[in-house]
């Protein structure tokens, strides 16, 4: 009893410390005199500084946590620093600096702008920058030549008109999805270079030299970027995409299992969870339950990764021309599965509960179906991760179909049982109403919904299996060797 | 009969014309001699050119279609051209050109890089560019001052180290979500400017002058962009976000209605659709059915629009500091509604069909519930569009709840009916089996699923209503006047 009276104070103290900018107010009376006010304002100043400091502290703490969790990102930052240090050597070395006519600045700029997180994105931007500059430079010089032969009065008109028309057209091309996906940056660089060349051509006489320097500095910058990004712990967009799909599939599988386990768990389990050991377990379950969410909004990431992956050379187990588009199909099928799991999650969380004996009766079939769907997803994830055609997939699909049939039969048998019990009831006139065996349709609604969603999820999992087979065919996954199959089976036993 | 024999030929001819690169092969024998081969290869050349031409033609056709459908995008392109033409005047006017020390190039570059589709994005980039340049310039000059006082040997070491450390840190900051959302571009410009200033400071003696020119050209470029984007038919990110949410809500409402109508439609309707007039209707229905899909993947767009909208000044009915984050909440609740409609769509498309008499019995209640949910969504969409608090929302929520209760009662009454019929069956021993009134549980599974998904959708629609109320409160929507309410009611009657 003693502690309970102290707890609020302790909590208030803690709040005073933890709440940025809102400290030491609660326990004091409102100040009235000027002196009080001054003291208060200076206190507020300290508080707001404390709050700011804490805000910055919190920000740094989160940043540090991120850095520890994702060392690859830290490595990327170091790589950018390295590439910039290397390119700035151009300034310190006289011969290099003079070699590019003092425009080493463009090389620095190229490095800053082109260096991206993944190799594919860096390559994409490099190629776009080089191509855009070259095309616009050539076109700009052509226009400049035409304009210079058109007389002094017409020259600025032609130049201005060409800038207007080409900038408008190139900007429009950036809205077209197919161009946007691959050449967005190139189109921007095209506009930039064309404007610079055609406009500055009016003043700078050494246009050819300028173009030459510009191209060579860009070549230096991009090649430096490409070498750094590919040599120093490279992050491949293709591998990232591969891993995203894999992780999502794994999480979906866990989520499905957790969902069904949560629904059919005994009431006793709840009591067990109240204990300390159970809390961690509960947190793990909640994490697994919401695992499907990662797949819901991954479309944009997947698409951009697939776009960048196309630019990458062969790396690891991926050849150039690896069918990255197939991953998008797998991703889409996973997403459609995730939508269904979302609905399943909702009906599990709903207030309407089915009677316990019915749940127990169905538990076996539902758990079996969800187990076989999630096992299939896991198997597909392993197959993608190992890039091997699994010999067990067909068998597992068949198993899943059987589980669907069994669940459907269970629903049928339930109706037969029910008929029997309601038949009895009809003849017994009323007394049976209190019997636990008699259920109304409203009570089985949640159960039927869960069952039919599970059947739908099984159908969608089959689609996932089909898309994975499509990927395996196009990417020419090798068939698993007999040894590997044996090894797997022995692990299973 | 005559026409039928000709049709395949006509179709083949059409195919020959329409198929890019695959023309005039089908009706001719395979060529064997060298002459034939040559002729064939020249024909193939023509064909591939034809194919290429058609490919380009198709591309241009799609582009033209896009231009006609989205005149705002065309206008944006014209605006970019206009801004570039204006900025290039700096080159032609001697006094302006000399005023910025011949570095008018930076102004052109700023326009190309900073000009974005929406006002918010342009402002965000402008502010980022100016701030990043200023901060990095100041810091770069500080570092340069320190380095120049450290002796000739230490100077390049200090400069290199500072570039490495600051580039690494700034790149890392770009990974932090809160920085990435608002200051991603600023961080890049910071790295760029700092590298340029601290590195070129080693050579360029007139550092102050360079910094001054750089800042003034950027100021010219950004202000030109901002003025052009805000004066010439501005596209506001806030308005776009407002419209996206509105459209999605509208489409969701239509989709829900179409879904339920499709499920409960009579078999006779199918025959009617086979006619020519029915085809258009079918296409419209399909479009409405899939309308919910627009909400599924709109998260990224909504978030970026909300980010840009925060930079925008007051425009239209939106003040500066309009609660754009609330729109994201509405968007999220709409998405969760869309996931459920997706599941509903799947169960409607499934093979398992409920018996007709049951469907008819339920049709009334389901259509009423879906109707009230979709009417509520429509009402909320109108309320957002008009930025007025609707006086009917609460009533409609209540109506929807009643519809939910009625559907639940219908499920209950079904079970009573069923009991009666199965009771009869149990006493009648077998003869009733053929009666259409006897249904097994498996047959009602799809119907129960649809009903329970509709109930879930109603619950989620209520969440949408709550988020819209939150938005209305924070954005201080005005209460609808009595006249407007009357007008609406008279329209309804």
């Amino acid at each position: 009893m003693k502690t309970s009276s102290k707890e609020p104070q302790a909590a208030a103290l803690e709040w005073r410390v933890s709440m940025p900018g809102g400290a030491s107010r609660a326990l004091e009376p409102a100040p009235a005199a000027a002196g009080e006010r001054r003291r208060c304002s200076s206190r507020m100043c300290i508080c707001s500084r404390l709050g700011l400091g804490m805000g910055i502290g919190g920000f740094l703490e989160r940043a540090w946590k991120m850095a520890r969790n994702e060392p690859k990102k830290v490595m990327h930052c170091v790589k950018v620093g390295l590439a910039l240090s290397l390119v700035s050597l151009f300034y310190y070395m006289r011969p290099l600096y003079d070699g590019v006519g003092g425009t080493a600045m463009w090389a620095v700029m190229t490095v800053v702008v082109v260096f991206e997180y993944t190799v594919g994105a860096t390559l994409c931007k490099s190629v776009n920058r080089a191509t855009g500059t070259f095309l616009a430079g050539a076109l700009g010089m052509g226009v400049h030549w035409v304009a210079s032969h058109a007389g002094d009065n017409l020259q600025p008109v032609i130049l201005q008109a060409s800038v207007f028309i080409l900038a408008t057209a190139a900007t429009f091309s950036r809205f077209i999805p197919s161009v946007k996906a691959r050449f967005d940056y190139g189109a921007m660089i095209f506009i930039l270079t064309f404007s610079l060349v055609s406009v500055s051509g009016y003043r700078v006489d050494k246009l050819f030299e300028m173009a030459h320097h510009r191209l060579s500095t860009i070549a230096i910058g991009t090649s430096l970027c490409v070498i750094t990004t590919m040599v120093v712990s490279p992050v491949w967009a293709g591998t990232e995409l591969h891993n995203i799909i894999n992780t999502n599939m794994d999480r979906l599988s866990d989520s499905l299992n957790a969902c069904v386990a949560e629904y059919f768990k005994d009431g006793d389990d709840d009591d067990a969870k109240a204990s300390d050991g159970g809390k961690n377990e509960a947190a793990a379950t909640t994490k697994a339950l919401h695992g499907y969410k990662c797949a819901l909004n991954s479309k944009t990431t997947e698409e951009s990764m697939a776009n960048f992956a196309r630019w990458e050379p062969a790396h690891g187990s991926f050849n150039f021309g690896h069918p990255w588009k197939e991953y998008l199909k797998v991703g889409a099928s996973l997403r459609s599965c995730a939508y269904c799991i979302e609905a399943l999650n909702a009906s599990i969380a709903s207030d309407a509960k089915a009677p316990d004996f019915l749940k127990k009766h169905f538990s076996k079939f539902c758990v079996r179906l969800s187990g076989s769907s999630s096992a299939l997803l896991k198997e597909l994830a392993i197959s993608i991760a190992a890039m091997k055609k699994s010999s067990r997939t067909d068998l597992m699909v068949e198993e899943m179909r059987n589980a669907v049939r069994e669940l459907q039969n269970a629903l049928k048998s339930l109706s037969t049982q029910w008929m029997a019990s309601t038949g009895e009831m009809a003849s017994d006139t009323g007394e049976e109403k209190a019997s636990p065996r008699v259920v109304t349709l409203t009570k089985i609604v949640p159960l039927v919904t869960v069952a039919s969603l599970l059947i739908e999820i099984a159908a969608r999992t089959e689609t996932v299996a089909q898309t994975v087979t499509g990927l395996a065919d196009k990417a020419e996954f090798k068939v698993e060797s007999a040894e590997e199959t044996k090894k797997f089976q022995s692990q299973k036993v």
Side-chain angles (χ1 to χ4, degrees), chain A:
Chain A
M1 289 302 266
K2 236 180 174 179
T3 49
S4 74
S5 68
K6 270 188 181 170
E7 265 170 6
Q9 272 200 20
L13 266 170
E14 207 173 358
W15 184 238
R16 257 202 281 172
V17 175
S18 71
M19 196 182 163
S24 64
R25 258 275 181 83
L27 301 171
E28 284 165 319
E36 265 289 278
R37 226 176 276 152
R38 206 177 310 128
R39 224 183 302 155
C40 177
S41 80
S42 81
R43 205 180 295 144
M44 271 171 73
C45 180
I46 294 170
C47 293
S48 71
R49 271 189 213 162
L50 202 74
L52 186 72
M54 274 175 168
I56 294 175
F59 178 81
L60 289 179
E61 202 187 308
R62 280 199 303 275
W64 173 243
K65 215 172 166 184
M66 199 183 89
R68 265 200 323 191
N69 289 341
E70 299 179 86
K72 266 203 260 178
K73 287 187 176 168
V74 178
M75 199 58 217
H76 168 71
C77 304
V78 173
K79 276 156 72 182
V80 173
L82 188 72
L84 267 177
S85 304
L86 283 176
V87 85
S88 62
L89 282 180
F90 271 79
Y91 268 93
Y92 305 123
M93 292 187 192
R94 195 90 226 178
L96 288 177
Y97 185 79
D98 293 338
V100 289
T103 57
M105 188 189 78
W106 290 105
V108 174
M109 201 178 268
T110 303
V111 169
V112 175
V113 176
V114 154
F115 210 112
E116 290 279 329
Y117 181 54
T118 58
V119 176
T122 310
L123 277 170
C124 170
K125 271 198 150 179
S126 298
V127 172
N128 265 298
R129 191 173 176 96
T131 318
T133 305
F134 180 75
L135 283 181
L139 200 64
M141 288 214 278
V143 170
H144 188 246
W145 184 85
V146 170
S148 64
H149 284 73
D152 275 357
N153 286 336
L154 267 179
Q155 189 174 3
V157 177
I158 291 178
L159 289 176
Q160 280 274 33
S162 70
V163 165
F164 180 82
I165 292 169
L166 276 164
T168 306
T171 307
F172 184 74
S173 79
R174 292 176 73 189
F175 282 120
I176 298 167
S178 54
V179 176
K180 192 179 173 61
R182 293 207 217 173
F183 307 113
D184 188 58
Y185 184 66
M188 197 182 82
I189 290 297
F190 177 88
I191 304 173
L192 179 61
T193 310
F194 184 79
S195 311
L196 287 185
V197 170
S198 71
V199 163
S200 66
Y202 190 55
R203 302 232 151 252
V204 181
D205 300 323
K206 296 173 184 173
L207 201 60
F208 263 103
E209 208 173 310
M210 178 184 142
H212 168 236
H213 285 150
R214 179 93 209 265
L215 275 178
S216 54
T217 45
I218 284 182
I220 291 165
T222 49
S223 47
L224 200 80
C225 282
V226 169
I227 291 170
T228 314
T229 194
M230 281 172 73
V231 171
V232 187
S233 74
V235 178
W236 302 97
T239 314
E240 294 284 298
L241 175 63
H242 185 86
N243 292 344
I244 288 172
I245 295 286
N246 225 325
T247 315
N248 284 357
M249 210 176 266
D250 236 28
R251 285 205 190 151
L252 233 58
S253 158
D254 291 341
S255 212
L256 180 59
N257 257 344
C259 231
V260 175
E262 178 75 16
Y263 186 65
F264 288 107
K265 73 165 185 248
D266 287 334
D268 311 338
D269 292 358
D270 279 339
D271 304 336
K273 269 184 192 163
S275 71
D276 259 7
K279 267 178 196 165
N280 290 335
E281 204 187 310
T285 310
T286 314
K287 203 184 156 193
L289 264 179
H290 296 290
Y292 68 93
K293 284 184 181 168
C294 63
L296 288 178
N297 293 309
S298 61
K299 196 187 174 197
T300 323
T301 319
E302 283 169 18
E303 278 178 356
S304 74
M305 285 296 162
N307 262 328
F308 293 141
R310 281 194 273 176
W311 296 89
E312 289 174 351
H315 56 93
S317 341
F318 310 110
N319 297 322
F320 183 76
H322 190 76
W324 299 113
K325 274 195 173 177
E326 296 297 315
Y327 282 91
L328 294 184
K329 287 184 194 164
V330 178
S333 64
L334 277 179
R335 236 183 331 277
S336 100
C337 221
Y339 295 148
C340 239
I341 295 182
E342 216 268 351
L344 182 69
N345 233 320
S347 53
I348 280 169
S350 79
D351 296 332
K353 296 281 174 222
D356 274 345
F357 79 94
L358 262 182
K359 258 174 125 177
K360 260 188 193 151
H361 175 73
F362 268 93
S363 143
K364 194 172 59 184
F365 304 104
C366 287
V367 169
R368 206 192 137 193
L369 176 54
S370 74
S372 63
S373 299
S374 99
L376 177 57
L377 280 175
K378 271 256 187 304
E379 179 68 25
L380 292 171
I382 291 171
S383 153
I384 288 184
M387 299 188 74
K388 292 262 163 89
K389 268 184 196 167
S390 161
S391 53
R392 290 171 300 279
T393 317
D394 291 340
L395 210 73
M396 291 174 100
V397 169
E398 206 41 62
E399 217 169 82
M400 191 174 70
R401 283 184 193 157
N402 282 339
V404 168
R405 258 171 248 134
E406 271 181 26
L407 181 58
Q408 281 167 339
N409 286 339
L411 284 168
K412 260 182 213 163
S413 80
L414 173 73
S415 51
T416 323
Q417 272 191 0
W418 189 3
M419 278 177 194
S421 68
T422 48
E424 276 169 39
M425 195 192 74
S427 55
D428 273 22
T429 58
E431 276 210 354
E432 282 274 334
K433 262 183 192 164
S435 148
R437 285 274 157 195
V438 180
V439 279
T440 59
L441 189 56
T442 36
K443 283 203 174 162
I444 60 158
V445 166
L447 201 68
V448 169
T449 310
V450 167
S452 87
L453 281 175
L454 279 177
I455 292 170
E456 178 63 29
I457 289 170
R460 293 189 179 194
T461 309
E462 227 181 298
T463 316
V464 176
Q466 281 162 9
T467 54
V468 172
T469 310
L471 168 66
D473 287 343
K474 289 214 176 152
E476 294 170 5
F477 282 7
K478 277 180 197 152
V479 180
E480 210 177 48
S481 65
E483 270 178 35
E484 283 165 324
T485 312
K486 245 185 205 168
K487 198 175 151 196
F488 186 86
Q489 278 165 345
S490 68
Q491 273 175 354
K492 218 176 173 186
V493 173

